Amino acid sequence: MIAPVKTRLLENAAVRLDDFADDLPKAVTATLANATRDADGVIEGVTVTPLLGNADDRGSLFELMTTRDGPIEPLVHIYQVLAAPGSIRAWVFHRHQFDRLAFTMGQFEIALFDMRPGSGTANRLAVYALGAQQPALLRIPPFVIHGVHNAGTSAGYFVNMPTKPYYRDRPDKSRLRYGDPRIPFTFDAR
């Protein structure tokens, strides 16, 4: 159990719930659903949704997913990845799940390669530059091989919200070592 660092009873607290005002964002320019696009048909089933930030002097907030604008696939498993500067996580694919990768910090290159037989975009490669300069949610279908490179000079974070839970005894992940010559792409790891 994780215990709080401090605890005490405040018997005569002067603040009341009625003292709070609604916290409205400074500006809203679009909705997430309206911003989603099909990655210009580059790879069938891949979508890229620009993420809109709300920033003030304390920092920023990004909505990663919302049902406000329509239905979404259930949230069943969420994790955050810390990527060391220059690190490369490649190559993987999933048989059943869609990856939903949210990039809002850092500077990342994400390479996708469509190996699906019969796909209208089979053997197509697409590379995206996402992160602080271009925050987005990238949705990757099953059987699309992908890799992520932290192209920045400092640690970066991204969040994955796959459509299926992860089971350690039977993971839905297949891996091929980075540098395998059969994948027609190499990250520019300066």
Side-chain angles (χ1 to χ4, degrees):
M1 184 170 126
I2 298 175
V5 176
K6 291 183 184 181
T7 181
R8 65 179 186 209
L9 180 61
L10 301 174
E11 294 182 28
N12 297 320
V15 69
R16 298 171 304 135
L17 293 176
D18 292 341
D19 295 332
F20 287 77
D22 288 341
D23 187 20
L24 300 174
K26 293 194 181 344
V28 176
T29 57
T31 63
L32 294 179
N34 293 338
T36 300
R37 60 185 191 273
D38 71 353
D40 302 324
V42 173
I43 292 182
E44 214 170 78
V46 171
T47 60
V48 181
T49 305
L51 296 175
L52 306 170
N54 185 31
D56 61 23
D57 60 344
R58 301 167 295 168
S60 60
L61 176 148
F62 287 90
E63 290 182 3
L64 303 182
M65 296 186 105
T66 179
T67 60
R68 179 184 55 241
D69 304 316
I72 60 171
E73 295 155 317
L75 293 171
V76 296
H77 192 88
I78 301 171
Y79 61 90
Q80 176 178 279
V81 176
L82 167 64
S87 66
I88 297 171
R89 296 168 181 272
W91 299 107
V92 300
F93 77 87
H94 308 284
R95 286 179 168 76
H96 305 287
Q97 78 182 36
F98 284 75
D99 270 347
R100 297 178 290 192
L101 304 174
F103 297 92
T104 61
M105 300 184 303
Q107 181 181 344
F108 290 94
E109 275 186 307
I110 306 92
L112 309 177
F113 185 54
D114 190 352
M115 291 287 296
R116 298 171 292 177
S119 165
T121 55
N123 298 317
R124 178 138 331 139
L125 173 76
V127 181
Y128 296 90
L130 303 175
Q133 298 301 311
Q134 186 163 279
L137 176 67
L138 180 63
R139 184 174 174 269
I140 306 169
F143 295 102
V144 172
I145 295 168
H146 49 285
V148 176
H149 170 226
N150 180 350
T153 56
S154 60
Y157 294 88
F158 62 94
V159 172
N160 192 2
M161 300 166 284
T163 58
K164 303 281 185 192
Y166 178 80
Y167 296 103
R168 293 181 190 280
D169 59 337
R170 51 186 165 92
D172 176 20
K173 182 180 269 189
S174 296
R175 185 177 300 279
L176 183 67
R177 75 170 175 81
Y178 179 70
D180 188 298
R182 294 170 292 177
I183 303 292
F185 182 78
T186 303
F187 289 106
D188 181 18
R190 299 171 197 112

